Amino acid sequence: MAKDYPAAYAVPPHAHPSGQIIYAVSGVMEIRTGTSLWLVPPQRALWMPAGISHAMHTRGSPVALRTAYVRLDRCPADAPAQPCAIQVSSLLRELILRAAKISPDYPEDSRDGRILSLILEEITWSPEQGLHLPTGRDKRLAATCEAILANPQDNRTLDDWASQHGATARTLSRLFTAELGVPFQVWRQQARVMAALPRLAAGEPVTTVALELGYDTPGAFSAMFKRLLGASPSRYFP
């Protein structure tokens, strides 16, 4: 499927009977699945297993969406049961663009079927945490996460957030570690990097983005960006 969406466009929660490879030729998508949030820039795709409800939101610029559907009987044995980032090579990009034009009921022994087979052989599953941000099930934790996502430059302390959402700092700290797997400060840094991705993809200067997201220096922001995504902002968005 090939479809273009304007900036700030929302697709409500839905699910598919087939596996889905979600890819944006341009723009950055936000995908939400229950208690998790994913950002999908053009350098990556997202594997969405069949039956998982998800919503999509385009961020600061239009998105050119290209989707390939994978029938259940064609899903590889090692395909994750949960959404997972996919590294997009030059070959995989071209294959996805071609597959976006393929009907879901393609004949098995056909050129379309062989293209889908090659896509599945080319996929490298990527546990890339920099593009995935869990938001938690506990109401106090979820409220804190959503508030930070809405205003990532907010520098309030863990004590401030705990007081606002009816918890002690110790309880909220424990919830971050137990439910999200990382301490509060690390989660907030990840949220800031994810907030930066759409802006950098749209061409905003690194210095402007870094300072407006609460970093003291562009260098500190670039170091965190590289630690999470494996490349500096200038290399990630050449």
Side-chain angles (χ1 to χ4, degrees):
M1 181 188 77
K3 193 166 185 179
D4 296 339
Y5 294 98
Y9 186 88
V11 177
H14 61 285
H16 301 282
S18 301
Q20 185 181 15
I21 298 171
I22 305 172
Y23 176 65
V25 178
S26 61
V28 176
M29 295 178 289
E30 175 187 297
I31 307 291
R32 282 185 176 259
T33 58
T35 58
S36 287
L37 179 151
W38 293 83
L39 281 193
V40 188
Q43 296 83 351
R44 298 291 184 269
L46 184 68
W47 166 251
M48 184 62 61
I52 291 185
S53 179
H54 57 283
M56 187 193 82
H57 182 258
T58 61
R59 300 292 290 254
S61 58
V63 165
L65 177 67
R66 302 296 181 264
T67 295
Y69 293 99
V70 183
R71 297 196 308 251
L72 291 179
D73 61 337
R74 296 294 303 277
C75 286
D78 63 342
Q82 296 297 321
C84 179
I86 298 172
Q87 298 177 4
V88 178
S89 64
S90 297
L91 173 58
L92 183 56
R93 179 184 185 276
E94 296 305 317
L95 289 169
I96 292 174
L97 295 183
R98 176 62 185 85
K101 304 174 183 178
I102 295 176
S103 169
D105 58 351
Y106 59 87
E108 187 76 21
D109 186 18
S110 66
R111 183 171 183 270
D112 289 345
R114 290 188 288 275
I115 288 174
L116 265 298
S117 295
L118 187 54
I119 285 176
L120 297 177
E121 291 179 10
E122 183 69 11
I123 285 177
T124 299
W125 309 113
S126 173
E128 190 163 24
Q129 296 304 311
L131 299 176
H132 172 228
L133 203 63
T135 54
R137 298 183 181 279
D138 182 274
K139 291 182 179 179
R140 298 162 296 180
L141 176 62
T144 301
C145 291
E146 291 297 335
I148 293 173
L149 288 172
N151 190 18
Q153 67 269 30
D154 193 320
N155 279 320
R156 276 182 284 180
T157 66
L158 184 66
D159 293 85
D160 294 331
W161 289 114
S163 177
Q164 179 173 336
H165 296 297
T168 65
R170 182 176 181 179
T171 296
L172 193 57
S173 176
R174 178 181 56 79
L175 287 170
F176 266 96
T177 303
E179 290 199 21
L180 309 185
V182 293
F184 164 73
Q185 290 286 3
V186 174
W187 188 94
R188 181 163 64 181
Q189 294 295 342
Q190 291 176 338
R192 287 176 171 176
V193 168
M194 291 183 73
L197 278 171
R199 299 178 61 178
L200 295 172
E204 288 193 48
V206 172
T207 298
T208 300
V209 174
L211 296 180
E212 290 185 359
L213 286 177
Y215 285 86
D216 293 330
T217 66
F221 166 74
S222 294
M224 175 59 67
F225 190 101
K226 184 175 182 179
R227 185 163 72 84
L228 289 175
L229 297 181
S232 66
S234 60
R235 287 186 175 274
Y236 202 83
F237 294 105

